[in-house]
Amino acid sequence: MKFKGLILIILSIILTTNIFAQQNQPNLQDPQRQIILKPTVVVDDLAFAFTTLGNVEIVGNEVESFLACKVMLEGFIKTAQTTNKKPGDTMVVEMPLLTAQNLLNLLSRARITGAQAEQYKRFVDAVVESGKNLRNQTK
């Protein structure tokens, strides 16, 4: 009888600890808690990323993240067009960390030509650098 009571107490402590641990973790989907990256990218690189993303093969469970990345890039391109940015101009864009990670993961699977390597690297480096800058600011 005492053994069952001890097991129940230990089990309740473990469950309570897990519940509190889950509540204290930031929710990246919550818009109020989202981490936003602000990379400075070349306008032409946005078009490159959009085109390249369209050529990446995805599986069914990647559809939502793919569509989120596509819509985000379309928005950046429309903003560049409405502000009359030229292909060589730079602009600061805002992207949620989770979407940025998904975008880089999808683009890493793309097949590009050697001529596109510099453009690919410049875009990826801009996103990664903005993440490093954000991390350094929060320290």
Side-chain angles (χ1 to χ4, degrees), residues 37-61:
L37 299 182
K38 298 179 182 180
T40 302
V41 296
V42 177
V43 173
D44 200 32
D45 293 352
L46 290 171
F48 163 76
F50 180 78
T51 303
T52 303
L53 183 67
N55 294 323
V56 173
E57 289 188 27
I58 61 171
V59 293
N61 65 352

Side-chain angles (χ1 to χ4, degrees), residues 13-27 33:
I13 290 172
I14 291 171
L15 290 175
T16 305
T17 304
N18 285 340
I19 290 170
F20 284 119
Q22 289 173 355
Q23 289 176 350
N24 290 331
Q25 291 179 352
N27 181 359
R33 291 186 173 184

Side-chain angles (χ1 to χ4, degrees), residues 3-133:
F3 184 70
K4 287 183 182 179
L6 183 61
I7 290 177
L8 287 175
I9 291 172
I10 291 173
L11 190 58
S12 65
I13 290 172
I14 291 171
L15 290 175
T16 305
T17 304
N18 285 340
I19 290 170
F20 284 119
Q22 289 173 355
Q23 289 176 350
N24 290 331
Q25 291 179 352
N27 181 359
L28 295 178
Q29 300 294 348
D30 183 2
Q32 294 178 343
R33 291 186 173 184
Q34 270 189 353
I35 299 171
I36 304 294
L37 299 182
K38 298 179 182 180
T40 302
V41 296
V42 177
V43 173
D44 200 32
D45 293 352
L46 290 171
F48 163 76
F50 180 78
T51 303
T52 303
L53 183 67
N55 294 323
V56 173
E57 289 188 27
I58 61 171
V59 293
N61 65 352
E62 295 174 319
V63 169
E64 291 296 324
S65 59
F66 171 83
L67 292 175
C69 294
K70 180 181 174 194
V71 168
M72 179 183 70
L73 289 173
E74 283 176 334
F76 296 156
I77 292 168
K78 286 180 184 175
T79 300
Q81 290 171 341
T82 58
T83 56
N84 295 321
K85 296 276 189 186
K86 294 178 179 52
D89 291 346
T90 60
M91 64 185 273
V92 176
V93 295
E94 294 186 0
M95 56 179 72
L97 176 62
L98 185 58
T99 307
Q101 288 172 331
N102 289 335
L103 177 60
L104 294 183
N105 285 336
L106 290 168
L107 290 177
S108 72
R109 298 194 327 235
R111 296 186 59 82
I112 60 172
T113 65
Q116 297 170 317
E118 288 180 19
Q119 198 169 20
Y120 173 85
K121 182 170 176 16
R122 187 172 52 227
F123 180 79
V124 170
D125 286 351
V127 176
V128 170
E129 188 64 29
S130 70
K132 288 179 184 177
N133 291 339

